[in-house]
């Protein structure tokens, strides 16, 4: 953990070599990346970051916009004297990674959107966010626990006891303010579909065929808009492919990093 400009930022730093930065989704923390960090840190330097309000990072306001969270990430990476890297963002972390690409794209060698999308919330989704905010204020624990089970493909749930308990612990330790601030930020995020053709580095979309949060049907079209876009479809995963399809996820990321950085 480090304190920058009066704010605590939780992060981990392991391995050596070219840099891969992991950004977690909602309502998670950097610890979700531990299996992938262990697998990849023998070949790359892996940075995992707690986004504002999650894990060991402090809240930065009542609304955590994707731009503000991208600035949070950039501030830490600058403090670590890092200038070029690939960013991998899961779900909300992907929204932050896209905001980062819009603001600081010259620092990116590649981008991985892991169960994420470049599209902004549709009006009905924004309405759902408002309902979620009300639910969190009424009973955070009930809202979060109901959400977490939807993140996995139903047939995978019996095998996901440990990851699900880990996610419940993370969410249980996250303040209602942080959860609401993230929901408010996701609700107002920018649509980056038009930016995709402008990106001059490779972009990997990892999608779950059984994902009910970010349906895979929209991802192929987004990848085709990129100059160097590709899709890794996880046949047996919902929204948590790094838990549900860990081997395929690792192999896909490793192959993509070779494309971004050269053979390793």
């Amino acid at each position: 953990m480090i304190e920058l400009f009066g704010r605590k930022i939780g992060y981990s730093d392991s391995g050596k070599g070219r840099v891969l930065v992991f950004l977690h989704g909602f309502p998670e923390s950097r610890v979700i990346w531990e299996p992938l960090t262990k697998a990849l840190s023998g070949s790359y330097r892996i940075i995992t970051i707690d986004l504002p309000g999650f894990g060991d990072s402090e809240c930065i306001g009542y609304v955590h916009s994707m731009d503000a969270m991208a600035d949070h990430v950039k501030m830490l990476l600058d403090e670590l004297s890092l200038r070029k890297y690939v960013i991998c963002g899961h779900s909300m972390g992907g929204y932050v990674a896209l905001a980062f690409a819009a603001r600081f794209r010259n620092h990116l060698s590649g981008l991985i959107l892991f169960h994420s999308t470049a599209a902004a919330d549709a009006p009905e989704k924004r309405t759902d966010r408002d309902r979620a905010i009300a639910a969190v204020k009424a009973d955070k624990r009930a809202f979060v626990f109901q959400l977490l089970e939807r993140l996995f493909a139903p047939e995978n749930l019996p095998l996901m006891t440990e990851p699900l308990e880990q996610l419940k612990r993370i969410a249980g330790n996250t303040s209602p303010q942080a959860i609401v601030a993230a929901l408010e930020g996701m609700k107002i995020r920018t649509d980056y579909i038009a930016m995709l053709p402008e990106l001059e580095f490779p972009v990997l979309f990892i999608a779950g065929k059984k994902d009910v949060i970010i349906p895979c049907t929209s991802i192929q079209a987004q990848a085709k808009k990129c100059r160097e876009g590709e899709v890794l479809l996880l046949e047996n995963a919902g929204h948590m492919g790094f838990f549900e399809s860990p081997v395929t996820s690792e192999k896909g990321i490793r192959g993509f990093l070779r494309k971004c950085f050269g053979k390793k």
Side-chain angles (χ1 to χ4, degrees):
M1 187 163 57
I2 192 171
E3 186 169 322
L4 296 175
F5 301 101
R7 299 288 185 182
K8 292 178 181 177
I9 301 177
Y11 77 101
S12 65
D13 184 349
S14 59
K16 295 180 179 180
R18 299 293 190 96
V19 179
L20 171 61
V21 179
F22 279 120
L23 304 180
H24 64 81
F26 171 89
E28 305 159 5
S29 77
R30 71 184 192 272
V31 302
I32 65 159
W33 299 117
E34 287 176 354
L36 274 173
T37 296
K38 184 177 180 180
L40 295 169
S41 59
S43 303
Y44 300 97
R45 183 177 177 185
I46 308 297
I47 309 294
T48 63
I49 302 173
D50 285 330
L51 294 172
F54 295 93
D56 294 321
S57 290
E58 294 182 314
C59 284
I60 57 175
Y62 291 104
V63 176
H64 289 167
S65 71
M66 303 303 104
D67 286 347
M69 290 201 274
D71 288 340
H72 169 100
V73 171
K74 180 64 161 50
M75 183 169 58
L76 174 62
L77 297 179
D78 285 351
E79 183 69 15
L80 297 176
S81 299
L82 300 175
R83 295 293 175 261
K84 205 77 171 178
Y85 27 77
V86 170
I87 291 184
C88 173
H90 174 238
S91 198
M92 180 183 74
Y95 308 153
V96 176
L98 285 160
F100 191 101
R103 297 157 73 82
F104 312 114
R105 70 183 65 175
N106 58 310
H107 289 280
L108 293 178
S109 298
L111 177 65
I112 304 173
L113 298 175
F114 207 142
H115 303 310
S116 195
T117 175
D121 275 357
E124 59 271 21
K125 183 64 175 180
R126 290 195 290 272
T127 300
D128 288 344
R129 301 276 190 207
D130 287 332
R131 292 194 189 101
I133 289 166
V136 171
K137 291 178 178 179
D139 188 341
K140 181 202 81 170
R141 186 181 183 88
F143 164 78
V144 168
F145 285 12
Q146 183 179 33
L147 168 67
L148 292 178
E149 292 198 352
R150 293 182 64 235
L151 300 181
F152 298 90
E155 60 268 38
N156 291 337
L157 270 175
L159 303 174
M160 294 291 113
T161 302
E162 188 174 336
L164 188 56
E165 287 305 312
Q166 181 187 56
L167 291 168
K168 287 179 178 179
R169 286 194 299 272
I170 293 169
N173 291 327
T174 303
S175 71
Q177 178 191 344
I179 292 174
V180 168
L183 287 166
E184 293 281 12
M186 288 189 284
K187 183 177 70 174
I188 62 170
R189 72 182 188 277
T190 300
D191 190 302
Y192 285 117
I193 295 291
M195 181 182 73
L196 296 177
E198 303 171 0
L199 301 178
E200 298 180 352
F201 44 75
V203 181
L204 172 64
F205 292 81
I206 304 179
K209 192 170 184 179
K210 300 173 182 179
D211 190 347
V212 299
I213 307 297
I214 307 288
C216 65
T217 50
S218 65
I219 299 305
Q220 188 71 49
Q222 292 185 28
K224 288 179 179 178
K225 292 180 180 295
C226 301
R227 298 184 189 187
E228 296 183 72
E230 59 185 278
V231 177
L232 172 60
L233 181 62
L234 304 177
E235 294 283 344
N236 298 309
H239 195 65
M240 305 297 282
F242 40 86
F243 288 138
E244 296 172 278
S245 300
V247 175
T248 305
S249 296
E250 181 206 334
K251 288 176 65 176
I253 291 172
R254 194 179 288 277
F256 181 73
L257 293 178
R258 286 196 292 268
K259 182 176 182 179
C260 296
F261 293 141
K263 197 166 183 180
K264 184 88 174 179

